[in-house]
Amino acid sequence: MDELPGSPAPMSAKGDCRMALYEHTVMTRQDISAQQAEALNDTIKALIEEGGGSVAKIEYWGLRNLTYRVKKNRKAHYSLLAIDAPAAAVAEVERQLSINEDVLRWLTVRVEELDLELSPLLARRERERDRNRGDEAAASE
């Protein structure tokens, strides 16, 4: 029997429910440090694990320009998390983020499967770093 979109996850033989997969993006204020932004990521990870889920990947994208001001900020620290967790754990994370003054925006999207490769943003940075290392090596010869 095929599942309908939005239907509850099937029950396994043990009777426990399969967890949903999410991509979670967080934007934090520009005036906090990168360490504080990464500490927030660790807090989110701890909340997910307390709720019975797991975080498969955390990417800190750094301080980036915003297209328009958000709560008087022109820049924001961006982070992307790949999450495998029950809906209650994700709801608790969102509740905690809504009361955190350092968080500007967040977005949680349910996905069919987690993408554990580097995001296009970080992949481009890695390619540029590798290219620069190659140029430096050629210049030193």
Side-chain angles (χ1 to χ4, degrees):
M1 179 174 144
D2 292 334
E3 290 182 44
L4 297 175
S7 64
M11 301 296 271
S12 69
K14 294 179 184 177
D16 56 343
C17 197
R18 187 177 58 151
M19 293 184 278
L21 305 174
Y22 300 93
E23 284 187 354
H24 182 76
T25 307
V26 180
M27 293 170 40
T28 54
R29 291 184 312 134
Q30 65 188 4
D31 51 342
I32 67 171
S33 68
Q35 291 80 15
Q36 288 173 305
E38 291 189 15
L40 178 66
N41 292 340
D42 294 337
T43 303
I44 293 170
K45 181 179 180 181
L47 285 169
I48 292 293
E49 289 173 350
E50 284 175 18
S54 64
V55 177
K57 171 179 80 168
I58 299 177
E59 287 185 1
Y60 172 67
W61 292 350
L63 189 63
R64 305 195 37 91
N65 290 325
L66 299 174
T67 305
Y68 55 90
R69 285 185 182 195
V70 177
K71 296 183 182 177
K72 300 182 182 178
N73 289 273
R74 293 180 183 270
K75 295 183 177 188
H77 294 273
Y78 281 78
S79 296
L80 173 72
L81 293 89
I83 300 171
D84 181 9
V90 175
E92 176 60 19
V93 166
E94 291 179 343
R95 187 186 74 77
Q96 292 287 331
L97 293 176
S98 70
I99 59 177
N100 189 330
E101 293 177 355
D102 292 333
V103 176
L104 299 175
R105 298 271 194 277
W106 74 90
L107 176 67
T108 306
V109 179
R110 187 170 176 180
V111 294
E112 292 296 318
E113 64 182 58
L114 293 177
D115 183 13
L116 299 179
E117 295 179 14
L118 280 180
S119 65
L121 176 77
L122 291 183
R124 187 181 77 220
R125 283 186 189 168
E126 287 295 318
R127 282 194 307 272
E128 289 173 359
R129 251 188 233 132
D130 291 345
R131 192 177 316 128
N132 290 340
R133 286 184 192 138
D135 292 345
E136 291 171 4
S140 66
E141 291 178 355

